[in-house]
Every structure is written in structure tokens, then in C-alpha cells.
Amino acid sequence: MTESKTFNQPLGGNEMPRFGGLPTMMRLPAAATAAGLDACFVGIPMDIGTSNRPGTRYGPRQIRAESCFIRPYNMATRAAPFDSLMVADIGDVAIDTFNLPRCMDIITNAYRAILKEGCIPLTLGGDHTLTYPILRAVAETHGPVGLIHVDAHADINEHMFGEPIAHGTPFRRAVEAGVLDTKRCIQIGLRGTGYAADDFDWPRRQGFRVVQAEECWHKSLAPLMAEVRQLMGDGPVYLTYDIDSLDPGFAPGTGTPEIGGLTTVQALEIIRGCWGLNLVGCDLVEVSPPYDPSGNTALTGANLLYEMLCVLPGVQRR
């Protein structure tokens, strides 16, 4: 086995105070491209797809800042990602702040380059619009993928304010584009109010499994994730995690909060339950720092991204 010293390591708290050093994800080395990497953290500082409260453009920067306290080893699962994979922070996608449709092509092109290197992207969002152009690039490499979508909202609107591209439309566009294996898609945590009584039925008609938040109340989600692993099988899977899936008591810093949401413990169960799946990409979206001065929403997002890294293919457990 290759020694861990050959892999990039986060800058340790005994080498540099946690509040010092470069503000990369987990204070990892920065890289200009994904060349030579097994996995990378990449930011998309975008909020022009939001419909209510903006601010997710600041999400990647704040997530990185709050990630400084995360240590290399997962004490619950014994995952050792930095003994297993070459990981770095490759910075942010240079989006067009004024043109959302153009952003879609910018993002797809950026992820084509990442995936061409055989690197698995872990995305710091940014609003949920960004998942659609990422999925377009992922499907070019892996074919239609299974989807684990954790969210308060289904994000399957036909349009928003007459526009086909926004943070409430990505999964309808993804279905239409043929980038999802719709028989291997699940949405977890959906809740709140809708525009019509059957709003959550559209994804069901496409073949998605929909698990509303009420089905998750007061219980462990480990049994659900055992079913998800069976559903996904050996095929490629993409994990997208909207921070508003969490109850706003845990994650107030988001643009469209909904009461009655998941707990942080359930979030960990969902992500850790992805162990063994053929994950080809993950994202954490909709962190809006202006609505949480404490930084706790971004802190939660940073930890969930670390947990995603810990379940990627090739990660060893000690």
C-alpha cells in the first residue's frame, strides 16, 4: 500500500493555528486544475438562480472558512480519506454573475475538464441551479446516473417567473435532458407547501422514489439508506445535498427555509449510508451566510462535505 505521506494532507492545527493559513477547504493544498487528483473540492459562488433570499454566492467562501477545524480522520467510521486519495481544493468556477443561462455552459465545461482527469468533484455551492449543468457533464462521462437528492423541495418546476433555468427547476431539466437514470433516483426530506396538491407526484411519475420529511420524523434513516443502496446497485450515483433539507433550527442560513426538516444526525446517516456506492460526484448547496451570522450553517455544510469525501470509492477505513 502506498504510504499516506505521498498524498496531500490538510494543514494541521499544530503546524499553523486553525485561524491561520490559506483559506482552502480543510486548509488543503490549492491546485490550479484537477490533474493528478482523485477528488477535488470546487466552489461555484452563484446565487442568480435564487427566488427568495440571495446570498449563496458567499457560500463557498464561508464553508471553506468554517472547514478549518475539521481533522483528517473520521472517528465514527474510521475513514481515512487523506491516506487513500489525492485531494486538493481547485478554487472556484468563474461564473458570469449577470447571465444565468451562460453560467450553465460555463459550469458544464468546467466539470468536463475535471471529469476528464478522472477526478471526482465535491462542489461547494452556490444555489441549486448548479446541479443541472454538473449532471450534464457527469452524464457525458458516466451515462445517465442514479440520483440521491436531499432537499426540502423537489426542484422540478416547469419554470420560475417564466424562466426554464432557476434553482427550482434543475431536476425537471435533468430528466428532460436524459442525464438521470430515473428508476434509480430518490428524493429525501421534501416538505412544506406547494403550488398544487400533486407537486411531489411529478417525480414519482418519472420513476423517482419520494420520501417526504414526515416519513423521516422521529426515526433513524439507516434502514432507509440500506434500501437506497439496493436501489442504486453498482451503477454511477450522484449525491446532491441542499442544506435546507435540514430543519432551520439546525441550518437557518439558507434562502428558502422550511420547518419540520431533517436533523444533523439524520444528515450524517444519509451520507454515511452512501458507503459502498459508486459515487461519481457530490454537491452541497444553498448555504447563504448572510442569514446565519453564527456561521453554524456553513460549519454544518463543511462537515457534510467532509463526510461525502469519506464515502467516495477508494477511501480506506482504518
Side-chain angles (χ1 to χ4, degrees):
M1 184 185 76
T2 307
E3 294 296 327
S4 62
K5 66 182 180 181
T6 64
F7 296 103
N8 289 340
Q9 298 294 314
L11 182 62
N14 292 322
E15 301 167 76
M16 170 70 71
R18 294 286 175 187
F19 46 82
L22 292 176
T24 57
M25 183 66 181
M26 293 185 64
R27 305 197 304 173
L28 281 162
T33 72
L37 301 178
D38 299 307
C40 69
F41 291 103
V42 54
I44 303 181
M46 182 175 79
D47 64 7
I48 53 174
T50 57
S51 58
N52 187 28
R53 307 191 301 192
T56 55
R57 65 179 62 188
Y58 305 114
R61 181 168 294 184
Q62 190 67 30
I63 290 169
R64 288 182 172 108
E66 299 296 343
S67 75
C68 69
F69 198 61
I70 303 174
R71 302 175 185 89
Y73 294 93
N74 192 316
M75 304 308 292
T77 67
R78 302 184 71 89
F82 304 108
D83 292 357
S84 312
L85 304 177
M86 183 64 80
V87 188
D89 187 327
I90 65 169
D92 292 339
V93 177
I95 63 158
D96 183 335
T97 314
F98 306 103
N99 188 324
L100 186 57
R102 182 167 179 261
C103 284
M104 300 299 97
D105 291 335
I106 291 171
I107 294 167
T108 297
N109 289 334
Y111 280 73
R112 283 187 183 122
I114 293 169
L115 294 161
K116 184 178 179 181
E117 299 292 344
C119 179
I120 301 174
L122 298 166
T123 302
L124 292 64
D127 72 67
H128 219 159
T129 319
L130 60 84
T131 304
Y132 169 53
I134 294 173
L135 286 171
R136 293 193 305 191
V138 168
E140 289 178 6
T141 300
H142 298 284
V145 296
L147 180 74
I148 300 173
H149 172 205
V150 191
D151 202 327
H153 311 98
D155 292 350
I156 46 76
N157 293 350
E158 175 60 35
H159 56 77
M160 299 188 77
F161 297 98
E163 297 294 332
I165 300 295
H167 75 161
T169 70
F171 302 107
R172 185 176 287 249
R173 300 289 90 85
V175 169
E176 293 169 349
V179 300
L180 296 177
D181 179 354
T182 57
K183 301 302 182 185
R184 293 194 305 120
C185 293
I186 185 168
Q187 296 180 305
I188 302 171
L190 307 192
R191 63 188 187 276
T193 53
Y195 294 105
D198 64 350
D199 272 0
F200 295 160
D201 292 338
W202 188 88
R204 291 185 174 107
R205 291 195 294 270
Q206 314 313 308
F208 287 32
R209 180 175 177 185
V210 175
V211 180
Q212 293 181 221
E214 290 79 2
E215 300 174 61
C216 303
W217 288 355
H218 314 301
K219 65 176 67 171
S220 167
L221 297 187
L224 171 64
M225 292 311 298
E227 296 175 23
V228 170
R229 289 191 297 274
Q230 281 195 321
L231 175 67
M232 297 297 160
D234 297 328
V237 180
Y238 188 89
L239 169 62
T240 180
Y241 200 104
D242 189 324
I243 203 73
D244 72 25
S245 65
L246 296 174
D247 188 86
F250 295 102
T254 192
T256 49
E258 304 277 3
I259 66 168
L262 304 179
T263 68
T264 52
V265 170
Q266 290 174 318
L268 291 173
E269 289 180 319
I270 290 170
I271 297 173
R272 291 174 181 176
C274 293
W275 173 256
L277 294 179
N278 180 19
L279 287 171
V280 296
C282 308
D283 65 51
L284 187 288
V285 299
E286 298 287 354
V287 171
S288 185
Y291 296 99
D292 185 2
S294 73
N296 282 342
T297 304
L299 175 68
T300 298
N303 277 273
L304 296 184
L305 280 158
Y306 169 73
E307 293 284 343
M308 293 175 190
L309 175 65
C310 288
V311 296
L312 292 186
V315 171
Q316 300 173 9
R317 294 189 172 186
R318 297 299 190 196

